[in-house]
């Protein structure tokens, strides 16, 4: 199909000749979409229809019911919604004199007043950065933000749900206080190099403010943050051992040995050289601009005994810290825990 379409285009005949594809290879929207992309005008997936007929004949379906199945299958491969959008754009471009622009910009990707709803539109952004007379942001300024979100209507799946319970309300005194709940909060392990120093510090401040814990990730941490609200209570020890110093290890409540990562189990990590700024290089004790590689395994852990040795060593430098081991598989957890 691609070859024929290419030749027709080369001969300047592509707009005059349609390609009808009779094929046994189309059985889902993706394969149909690929053929359309290569130049097909119409498809007849005869093998798909034959398979449907053969399958339902064994179930003794009536002719009417079988026709319904075939129509449903054809509709599942259809692109009516795409066609309607193209027709609407074509109409606006050539026949709609009422439109200010020949082709509307839309608003699906970029906010446009009166077009597609954006959760982070100008009103939301302004409310998020609302400041009082002193020029400082205050938690009380977010009442407007709360109202905008609560009154946005049914825009997300969660907006369609309501509480439906026959249980009576309980006294707020029976609910665990927020201070106790906050203690169980923890942010994901993200290094300074991956999300920026500013974002990294903001997460730590937020977690420490509510009495929860933030995780430094594997990239080390600026000693100036120790003993402040910017200090991460959980420090990570990963395969590259970047930034792992005595000062780093003692300034935490929990040490996490990262054996693997959920986002890329069994693989290592890489921080591109462009992200290794002088600040990041200082934290990791490396050279600015040079790509950093975290190998998949810890090169000193090849057995349960090796892991036990690292736990023992960490306990020697910080006896008060809880030691955690981060895994991404439940297989063998019991053995490691023992």
């Amino acid at each position: 199909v691609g070859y024929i379409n290419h030749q027709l285009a080369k001969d300047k005949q592509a707009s005059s000749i349609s390609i009808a594809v009779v094929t046994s290879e189309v059985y889902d929207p993706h394969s149909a979409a690929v053929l359309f992309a290569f130049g097909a005008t119409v498809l007849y997936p005869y093998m798909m229809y034959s398979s449907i007929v053969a399958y339902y004949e064994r179930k003794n379906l009536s002719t009417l019911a079988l026709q319904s199945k075939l129509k449903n299958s054809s509709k599942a491969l259809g692109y009516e919604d795409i066609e309607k959008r193209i027709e609407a754009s074509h109409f606006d471009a050539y026949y709609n004199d009422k439109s200010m622009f020949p082709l509307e910009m839309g608003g699906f990707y970029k906010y446009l007043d009166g077009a597609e709803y954006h959760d982070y539109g100008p009103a939301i952004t302004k409310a998020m950065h609302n400041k009082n007379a002193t020029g400082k942001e205050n938690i009380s300024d977010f009442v407007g933000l709360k109202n905008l979100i609560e009154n946005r209507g049914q825009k997300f799946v969660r907006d369609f749900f309501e509480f439906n319970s026959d249980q009576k309300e309980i006294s707020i005194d029976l609910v665990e206080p927020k201070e106790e709940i906050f203690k169980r909060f923890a942010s994901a392990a993200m290094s300074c190099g991956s999300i920026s120093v500013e974002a990294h510090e903001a997460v730590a401040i937020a977690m420490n403010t509510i009495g929860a814990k933030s995780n430094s990730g594997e990239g080390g941490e600026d000693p100036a943050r120790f003993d402040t609200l910017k200090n991460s209570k959980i420090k990570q020890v990963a395969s590259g051992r970047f930034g792992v110093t005595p000062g780093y290890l003692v300034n935490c409540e929990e040490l996490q040995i990262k054996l693997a990562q959920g986002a890329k189990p069994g693989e290592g990590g890489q921080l591109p050289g462009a992200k290794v700024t002088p600040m990041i290089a200082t934290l990791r004790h490396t050279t600015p601009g040079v790509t950093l590689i975290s190998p998949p395994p810890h090169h000193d852990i090849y057995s349960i005994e090796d892991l036990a040795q690292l736990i023992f060593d960490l306990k020697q430098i910080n006896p008060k810290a809880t030691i955690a081991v981060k895994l991404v598989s439940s297989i063998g957890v019991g053995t490691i825990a023992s």
Side-chain angles (χ1 to χ4, degrees), residues 22-290:
V22 180
T23 175
S24 64
E25 296 180 278
V26 170
Y27 50 85
D28 62 8
H30 179 265
S31 48
V34 170
L35 276 176
F36 282 132
F38 276 103
T41 308
V42 64
L43 302 178
Y44 176 50
Y46 71 89
M47 184 63 78
M48 185 188 78
Y49 291 137
S50 298
S51 300
I52 293 169
V53 170
Y55 178 75
Y56 284 106
E57 275 183 344
R58 294 196 296 270
K59 294 182 175 291
N60 298 317
L61 279 188
S62 66
T63 302
L64 187 63
L66 183 56
Q67 287 176 347
S68 177
K69 298 290 184 184
L70 290 170
K71 285 182 179 178
N72 289 342
S73 300
S74 176
K75 189 175 180 65
L77 289 178
Y79 299 90
E80 290 91 346
D81 58 329
I82 298 175
E83 185 178 14
K84 286 178 181 176
R85 290 204 302 270
I86 293 173
E87 286 180 346
S89 297
H90 184 78
F91 177 80
D92 287 339
Y94 292 97
Y95 304 107
N96 188 4
D97 296 329
K98 297 178 182 178
S99 176
M100 183 180 296
F101 303 104
L103 288 177
E104 291 293 339
M105 290 181 286
F108 186 80
Y109 296 105
K110 184 179 180 181
Y111 176 84
L112 191 67
D113 190 34
E116 186 80 15
Y117 172 80
H118 284 245
D119 206 35
Y120 286 97
I124 293 284
T125 306
K126 184 178 179 182
M128 288 174 67
H129 295 281
N130 193 16
K131 296 180 180 178
N132 56 30
T134 64
K136 295 182 178 180
E137 293 184 2
N138 190 289
I139 196 68
S140 62
D141 297 332
F142 289 90
V143 175
L145 175 63
K146 180 173 178 285
N147 290 335
L148 282 171
I149 294 173
E150 290 181 347
N151 297 312
R152 68 186 171 198
Q154 295 174 327
K155 298 296 190 296
F156 297 92
V157 174
R158 61 180 178 272
D159 296 330
F160 289 82
F161 289 92
E162 296 178 354
F163 285 107
N164 183 17
S165 174
D166 57 359
Q167 297 182 17
K168 294 182 180 180
E169 295 181 359
I170 62 173
S171 170
I172 194 67
D173 298 327
L174 299 176
V175 179
E176 192 175 3
K178 64 179 185 294
E179 289 78 14
E180 292 300 315
I181 297 174
F182 284 156
K183 290 179 181 178
R184 299 197 290 273
F185 277 35
S187 58
M190 299 175 286
S191 68
C192 288
S194 65
I195 64 172
S196 83
V197 172
E198 293 80 4
H200 200 269
E201 290 182 352
V203 171
I205 291 171
M207 291 291 104
N208 287 327
T209 300
I210 66 172
K213 296 178 181 179
S214 65
N215 192 318
S216 66
E218 66 168 305
E221 196 164 274
D222 187 355
R225 292 169 59 177
F226 300 160
D227 296 320
T228 71
L229 273 178
K230 297 179 180 180
N231 182 51
S232 298
K233 291 180 181 177
I234 304 174
K235 296 291 197 294
Q236 197 173 74
V237 178
S239 60
R241 305 288 162 86
F242 294 117
V244 178
T245 64
Y248 174 83
L249 295 174
V250 298
N251 283 281
C252 65
E253 296 178 10
E254 180 178 318
L255 287 166
Q256 184 185 79
I257 302 170
K258 186 179 86 168
L259 291 185
Q261 187 169 325
K264 45 182 186 289
E267 301 179 19
Q270 176 176 322
L271 188 66
K275 280 192 171 186
V276 185
T277 63
M279 173 63 173
I280 299 301
T282 299
L283 298 181
R284 298 192 175 204
H285 303 282
T286 59
T287 305
V290 177

Side-chain angles (χ1 to χ4, degrees), residues 283-321:
L283 298 181
R284 298 192 175 204
H285 303 282
T286 59
T287 305
V290 177
T291 297
L292 301 177
I293 304 293
S294 295
H298 287 249
H299 288 311
D300 56 354
I301 301 178
Y302 288 97
S303 67
I304 297 296
E305 290 74 25
D306 290 340
L307 178 59
Q309 182 64 51
L310 178 58
I311 293 173
F312 177 83
D313 293 342
L314 293 177
K315 277 288 189 182
Q316 300 312 299
I317 195 166
N318 191 344
K320 296 180 180 179

